Amino acid sequence: MSVAPPRPKSLPLTALRAFEASARLGGFAAAAEELHVSPGAISAHIKTIEAELGATLFARTARGVTLTPLGQRALPHFAAAFDQLGDAVQNLRADAAPGVVHIAALPAIAQFWLSPRLPALRAAAPEIQISITALEHPPNLKRVPYDLCLFYDAAKGESVTDDALLPVCAPAIAKRLKHPRDMADLLCLTDTGWPDDWQRWIAEALPGAGFTPKGPVFSLYSLAVEETINGAGILMGHQALIGPHLVSGKLVAPFDMPVRLNASLRMWSLRPAHKSSPVSRVADWLRTGGTDQP
């Protein structure tokens, strides 16, 4: 009779991924956000591994978790392994759907900068499918399968367009403004993604003005823009995003006092793409504004 001794249990891949993310990001909450699960689920996965190993990977304190020496030694190996796995997944997706380009973008960029360019891009390259995911923060391209990223940054990737801050409002509101200090009598709209825009513009355009903007706060830039068009008040606009509204006349810049931002709208990818690949063609088109057809 053959002997079939029990095999050692393999540690679950989902639990190992939870450990690697927690160790790399420095906590269960950050790992949960990256993996789109709850912190409790991350904690349960870590406990599963620790129970199987009979050793702890994290030391729990009132201020959070820290890696034990065992966890510290394990992290580089698992980080490299999951990097390789992510790279393999990227290659598999590219081979399986070579005509699909996945773009991750800040919601405001996706709606105001990228979306208006898609009809012309589709007309120029109908064989390429563009998939867009709006994210508040740039993804880790080693772990998630996006081909291109479009976010504001000071150094990452390449600059697609510069940006500047300037107050904008509806034409009817603009008629009431004779001097920048007149804005103190109106509601100043703010987006939670850029809570310091007003202070930054005032510091450079109106130093020493003593002007403290007050008004509603919006969690979506698109809502803030729409309310500004509706006459709710004045918005500190990003010129790169609301440019078309200025051209159409829906919005007006009552004072020609732009303040240039250090962070520009930038584009990057995980690795250089072949010149003739759909990713490279889309990137070239977005980079040149369509002057070079994809």
Side-chain angles (χ1 to χ4, degrees):
M1 183 175 65
S2 62
V3 178
R7 298 179 180 180
K9 290 178 61 178
S10 178
L11 296 174
L13 183 61
T14 53
L16 294 175
R17 188 182 293 276
F19 160 71
E20 189 276 337
S22 300
R24 171 170 45 86
L25 298 173
F28 294 170
E33 182 176 355
E34 180 175 278
L35 299 179
H36 303 291
V37 297
S38 68
I42 296 293
S43 179
H45 283 313
I46 302 301
K47 289 179 179 178
T48 296
I49 299 176
E50 291 176 331
E52 182 65 26
L53 294 175
T56 57
L57 297 170
F58 291 91
R60 281 79 166 172
T61 69
R63 293 182 296 178
V65 297
T66 58
L67 282 169
T68 64
L70 175 63
Q72 292 174 359
R73 292 193 299 271
L75 174 59
H77 302 290
F78 282 100
F82 280 109
D83 282 349
Q84 289 184 327
L85 180 60
D87 192 58
V89 171
Q90 291 273 39
N91 291 332
L92 179 61
R93 289 176 67 100
D95 290 342
V100 179
V101 176
H102 298 269
I103 301 176
L106 188 73
I109 293 175
Q111 182 168 359
F112 290 99
W113 190 88
L114 182 56
S115 179
R117 287 164 169 77
L118 292 182
L121 177 55
R122 284 196 303 270
E127 74 280 7
I128 299 177
Q129 297 181 36
I130 308 295
S131 175
I132 301 172
T133 301
L135 300 173
E136 291 293 340
H137 304 286
N140 181 351
L141 293 182
K142 292 182 179 180
R143 306 305 166 90
V144 287
Y146 295 111
D147 300 301
L148 294 173
C149 284
L150 287 167
F151 290 85
Y152 279 97
D153 200 277
K156 188 177 293 185
E158 59 178 309
S159 177
V160 177
T161 182
D162 292 330
D163 198 5
L165 298 175
L166 75 171
V168 296
C169 59
I173 298 290
K175 293 178 181 179
R176 299 158 52 186
L177 300 172
K178 305 303 180 184
H179 188 276
R181 63 173 173 266
D182 296 338
M183 293 188 294
D185 299 325
L186 298 172
L187 292 177
C188 299
L189 281 59
T190 301
D191 173 73
T192 56
W194 295 304
D196 300 325
D197 279 357
W198 273 101
Q199 287 75 14
R200 185 177 304 172
W201 182 83
I202 292 171
E204 294 195 33
L206 298 174
F211 167 38
T212 302
K214 297 180 181 179
V217 178
F218 297 85
S219 63
L220 289 175
Y221 192 68
S222 58
L223 291 177
V225 171
E226 191 65 28
E227 275 296 88
T228 306
I229 293 173
N230 293 338
I234 307 171
L235 173 69
M236 187 52 60
H238 282 250
Q239 198 167 21
L241 303 181
I242 48 86
H245 288 322
L246 294 174
V247 173
S248 69
K250 289 183 178 180
L251 291 175
V252 175
F255 309 109
D256 187 19
M257 304 169 67
V259 170
R260 183 169 177 174
L261 293 172
N262 293 327
S264 61
L265 196 162
R266 304 181 77 90
M267 176 174 60
W268 64 87
S269 59
L270 181 62
R271 64 178 72 84
H274 189 275
K275 187 64 178 177
S276 61
S277 70
V279 174
S280 181
R281 292 166 62 196
V282 170
D284 288 343
W285 198 94
L286 295 176
R287 185 183 301 114
T288 62
T291 55
D292 293 335
Q293 294 299 312

